[in-house]
Amino acid sequence: MRWALVKVCLAVTTMVVLAFAVPLAMVVREMASDRAFSNAERQAATMGPTLTVTTDPAQLRRAVESTEMGAAGRMAVHVPAIGGAAAVDIGEGRAGAHAVAETRSLGRATTARVPGGGSALLQPVALGSGDIAVIEIYVPESEVSNGVTTAWLVLGGVGLALVIGSVAVADRLGARLVRPAERLADAAHQLGEGRLGARVPEDGPKELRSAAVAFNSMADQVVELLANERELAADLSHRLRTPLTVLRLNAASLGDGPAAEHTRAAVEQLEREVDTIIRTAREQRPPASTATAGCDASEVIRDRMAFWSALAEDEGREVRLAGVDRTVRIPVARPELAAALDAMLGNVFRHTPEATPFAVDVHDAGDAVIVLVSDGGPGIADPDAALRRGNDGARDGSTGLGLDIVRRVAESTGGDVRLGRSVLGGTEVRVWIALDGRARRGEGGRRARRKRRGA
């Protein structure tokens, strides 16, 4: 594309230069010729007054020799026969008798080619006797073409400079057009090879900028789709932790024996496999958008607490439930809220000793709903680290994804998650869920935190 543009520009510029330079060169040549013959006419006019006064050969010869052209041997005077006197030719004539006779008969100035090169200007002059004398001025070829070669060289240089300049400009324009296209193609190859961070600078011509914007948008969507797919796999795997917790607790009550040992070993192996899947699939993804379908938080909490209460009774845990006696609508899908509750309650059963009490409270703060899950366990030494995504799996049976599921559910509405010390003495997970998108990130997050402190 770049060389095609250069070739087109070269052809067009060359044609334009030739279209203007050739006629201009011919004009320059004609101007040089006109200048030479105009000078010859002026020289011939200097002899006119002398011929009108006298036709004496001696006087005419002195007059011719006194002129510039006569001194250079380039002027001749042809006087016809007057009365009984013979015709007189003064100076070196080059045009020939036929050309002189023709000029005399025409009565106007003519030019004639001279054998050996050059031209002769023949200027008729009327004598007092009524006869016609002819003044001949020799114009050599060098004078006719004087300055023409220099002018042609200048024209050629200007035309060549125009062609080179146009080619250079076309090459720069072609590079400006081709470079964004090459970057776009290179980024497409990189994306095809799996390098998902490949992006294209959004510059160049308008059409290529639009293509770059579309490519970057497509790449972002591909990355988001892949991240969502991995996140979904991680979330689904994490939800298996709830039934696995039940199996582990039931297996612990089987007592001793080969069957019990095999069951416990199988449960541990399954937990390890699930943890491996979660760690492999886990990857950072953009915050989820606000859910379009909501649910009744009270109903979901009552349902999940009915499930976990059976395990709590087996372990001798005291359970307190508050704020779920009325409908509380939130902009979170039921499966997402259930997964977040299971993640928080699963952490209580996994990381606190048996007989440790816990509580679930729901508060309606007007523009948000607060869900509190608190326990009477040992608490969390570093809450910020626990909330930070990307747990390295140092704790046995932990993937660092449970609280991240909770955080994503809260942030999808513009809320957040905080860890602190509960009134029971252990950990408190405070989930702030904004309603109807009125508490967004940034300003909404600050409003949410102020409201939370008030609550």
Side-chain angles (χ1 to χ4, degrees):
M1 179 178 178
R2 178 178 178 180
W3 288 112
L5 183 61
V6 169
K7 291 177 182 177
V8 170
C9 187
L10 176 62
V12 171
T13 308
T14 301
M15 293 175 61
V16 172
V17 168
L18 291 177
F20 282 93
V22 172
L24 189 59
M26 296 177 65
V27 169
V28 168
R29 182 173 180 177
E30 289 297 326
M31 290 177 62
S33 177
D34 290 344
R35 183 176 62 250
F37 282 101
S38 296
N39 183 49
E41 290 178 354
R42 288 194 299 272
Q43 294 294 329
T46 60
M47 284 296 299
T50 302
L51 287 171
T52 58
V53 173
T54 180
T55 58
D56 181 62
Q59 293 181 5
L60 290 177
R61 183 172 289 106
R62 285 194 298 271
V64 168
E65 291 176 352
S66 65
T67 64
E68 179 182 353
M69 292 295 181
R74 294 169 50 186
M75 177 183 289
V77 177
H78 305 281
V79 181
I82 300 175
V88 177
D89 294 322
I90 300 173
E92 183 181 355
R94 295 180 176 83
H98 177 73
V100 172
E102 183 178 0
T103 300
R104 187 176 286 125
S105 63
L106 291 175
R108 57 182 176 80
T110 61
T111 58
R113 297 295 300 175
V114 175
S119 302
L121 173 67
L122 301 174
Q123 178 69 48
V125 178
L127 301 177
S129 61
D131 295 313
I132 302 296
V134 176
I135 302 173
E136 177 185 340
I137 303 295
Y138 172 64
V139 181
E141 191 67 31
S142 59
E143 188 171 333
V144 173
S145 61
N146 182 31
V148 174
T149 302
T150 302
W152 284 5
L153 290 176
V154 172
L155 286 176
V158 172
L160 182 61
L162 288 175
V163 172
I164 294 176
S166 66
V167 169
V169 172
D171 181 68
R172 292 298 90 199
L173 291 176
R176 184 172 178 266
L177 291 173
V178 170
R179 192 173 296 113
E182 290 177 345
R183 288 198 296 260
L184 183 61
D186 183 62
H189 287 304
Q190 294 183 31
L191 189 64
E193 293 171 357
R195 285 176 275 181
L196 302 180
R199 295 295 184 274
V200 183
E202 298 174 1
D203 56 9
K206 179 180 178 180
E207 293 77 8
L208 291 178
R209 285 201 307 271
S210 300
V213 171
F215 176 86
N216 292 339
S217 177
M218 178 198 68
D220 292 338
Q221 291 179 5
V222 168
V223 171
E224 184 174 359
L225 288 175
L226 291 176
N228 289 344
E229 181 180 354
R230 293 187 178 96
E231 198 66 56
L232 178 60
D235 288 352
L236 293 177
S237 301
H238 193 275
R239 293 177 189 185
L240 294 176
R241 300 296 294 274
T242 299
L244 282 176
T245 301
V246 178
L247 290 176
R248 181 172 58 82
L249 295 175
N250 290 339
S253 64
L254 292 178
D256 298 329
E261 292 298 329
H262 290 164
T263 302
R264 284 190 285 270
V267 171
E268 292 176 359
Q269 177 64 26
L270 184 57
E271 285 186 322
R272 286 194 295 270
E273 294 296 334
V274 170
D275 290 346
T276 300
I277 293 174
I278 295 174
R279 292 191 185 98
T280 302
R282 185 177 61 196
E283 185 173 314
Q284 190 77 308
R285 54 161 285 181
S289 59
T290 302
T292 57
C295 68
D296 181 4
S298 298
E299 191 273 332
V300 175
I301 293 173
R302 288 195 302 267
D303 178 70
R304 298 316 300 159
M305 286 301 298
F307 171 82
W308 289 100
S309 295
L311 296 178
E313 184 178 352
D314 291 341
E315 293 189 358
R317 296 176 182 268
E318 179 184 350
V319 181
R320 183 175 64 84
L321 188 61
V324 296
D325 52 347
R326 59 188 181 88
T327 300
V328 179
R329 299 292 302 181
I330 60 174
V332 177
R334 179 188 177 91
E336 299 298 325
L337 180 59
L341 287 170
D342 287 341
M344 291 186 288
L345 295 174
N347 285 339
V348 172
F349 280 85
R350 178 174 294 275
H351 300 299
T352 61
E354 294 186 7
T356 300
F358 67 93
V360 178
D361 300 285
V362 180
H363 300 281
D364 188 351
D367 63 348
V369 172
I370 304 172
V371 178
L372 299 176
V373 177
S374 53
D375 62 64
I380 298 177
D382 190 350
D384 292 335
L387 276 175
R388 192 177 304 120
R389 172 75 184 246
N391 187 293
D392 59 4
R395 292 184 300 168
D396 185 29
S398 175
T399 62
L401 190 60
L403 287 177
D404 187 68
I405 294 176
V406 180
R407 178 183 58 79
R408 287 194 297 106
V409 168
E411 290 182 352
S412 69
T413 67
D416 61 5
V417 177
R418 293 291 171 139
L419 297 182
R421 178 67 64 175
S422 73
V423 295
L424 300 178
T427 302
E428 177 187 83
V429 181
R430 181 185 295 258
V431 184
W432 183 275
I433 301 175
L435 299 179
D436 301 327
R438 285 176 290 180
R440 300 294 181 189
R441 294 181 186 84
E443 179 183 356
R446 291 189 292 271
R447 289 176 55 198
R449 286 190 287 273
R450 290 196 297 269
K451 197 77 175 182
R452 185 194 64 209
R453 287 195 294 268

